[in-house]
Amino acid sequence: MEQVVNLDSRTYSIHIETDILSRIAKHFQRFRDEKIFIISDVRVSNVYGVTLTAVLKKAGFSVELLTFPEGESSKSVETVSQLWQALVKRGIDRHAVIVALGGGVSGDVAGFLAATILRGVRFVQIPTSLLAQVDSSVGGKVGINLPQAKNIVGAFWQPSLVLIDPHVLGTLEPRQFNSGMAEVIKYGVIMDKEFFLFLESNVDAIKELDSTVMCELIAKCCQLKARIVEEDETETSGRRAILNYGHTFGHAIENVFGYGVYLHGEAIAIGMTLAAKLAIESKHCDKSLLIRQTELFHRFDLPTELPGDLPADQLAALLDSMRLDKKSTGGRFNLILPCEIGRVEFTNDCDETLVRKIVFD
Ligand SMILES: NC(=O)c1ccc[n+]([C@@H]2O[C@H](COP(=O)([O-])OP(=O)(O)OC[C@H]3O[C@@H](n4cnc5c(N)ncnc54)[C@H](O)[C@@H]3O)[C@@H](O)[C@H]2O)c1
Ligand SMILES: [Zn+2]
């Protein structure tokens, strides 16, 4: 399957095929005479990077594999600085191609390298986590963290090509897979009722990584995200904001609990649940949306509630963190609230009392 992201001169294709990686040489023909640098975290490098590099070398490509330690902490100036220097040492030139192989961390790091080295070189995404396949590899946002804030340094840098192999999800830890499913379910709720129904009726096939179902699922998510990115490439019109459904609550949960307690998708599942509760309370939608959304989250072992015994100071910190979220202004919360499955609304006057009631109840 192929999805095209239409962005004038930056238009590119996303190819989604089971075992596409075994046919990588065919897709890389256009880079035949260039230096290729595959950037990957150590885990993904061991599982796929080493083999992929060998396959390309055997097919006559000039290719090198550069790795960095696994985990969010590698989205740092230090890692990028080491990789910049490694690329220069290996004679990178303006025609070179940087390949991101891995989850969202590899995509963000390799993409940032591609955007910055020699003022920008071509970039290919080979996302291997579900989150990266349905979300972070589409849209061109790349970047790193500073100790003060996540994703605070970066660029919009579109790839020239995206290759997605659902087969590689077989080696992903189940908890990581389920976390990615939270973003998948999000697309259904915010934009596409039919897709939500598709998810509801294919839970078992998804869990078994059925090839046809997974290709369709990933292609649909890429298509939905691509449509939004096409309308709002650099996040200026506000259209891209609907992708933040559940994220104001979710980011606050990630901040208050600290990195690693909840995976991103787990925090977002709780966040989407709180947002749906708020939508019911403020008469934006009826209860059935919450029931169906919750049911689907639970089928993928995703949490939908904060721990019951949260101390008051942690709850207060949660509200503080939401207030600090860049989407909030003057004591009122800017939130994306669902109206019905497949449609959300932006509200910029959500009252703090109501938010407190939802979070504290
Ligand atoms: N740029 C964007 O638009 C965007 C969007 C959403 C998220 N993100 C970023 O993405 C990151 C999270 O992405 P992630 O959840 O993929 O994290 P990740 O890259 O750390 O991958 C999660 C874990 O899975 C492992 N892994 C990945 N693919 C595997 C496979 N096929 N088999 C075995 N192990 C595999 C990785 O080594 C890692 O340990 C965050 O830094 C977030 O900020 C970026
Ligand atoms: Zn997200």
Side-chain angles (χ1 to χ4, degrees), residues 131 135 183 186 243-245 247 251 254 264-265 268:
L131 180 117
D135 184 0
E183 301 281 4
K186 181 192 78 178
L243 295 167
N244 287 327
Y245 173 47
H247 282 59
H251 287 153
E254 287 178 304
H264 178 68
I268 296 315

Side-chain angles (χ1 to χ4, degrees), residues 183-202:
E183 301 281 4
V184 173
I185 294 165
K186 181 192 78 178
Y187 286 115
V189 179
I190 63 174
M191 315 176 63
D192 195 326
K193 183 173 185 178
E194 213 175 291
F195 182 56
F196 191 91
L197 292 169
F198 167 85
L199 296 175
E200 283 182 322
S201 37
N202 283 289

Side-chain angles (χ1 to χ4, degrees), residues 141-156:
K141 278 199 204 174
V142 298
I144 55 171
N145 306 326
L146 290 183
Q148 295 84 352
K150 271 199 72 173
N151 298 324
I152 193 91
V153 177
F156 287 98

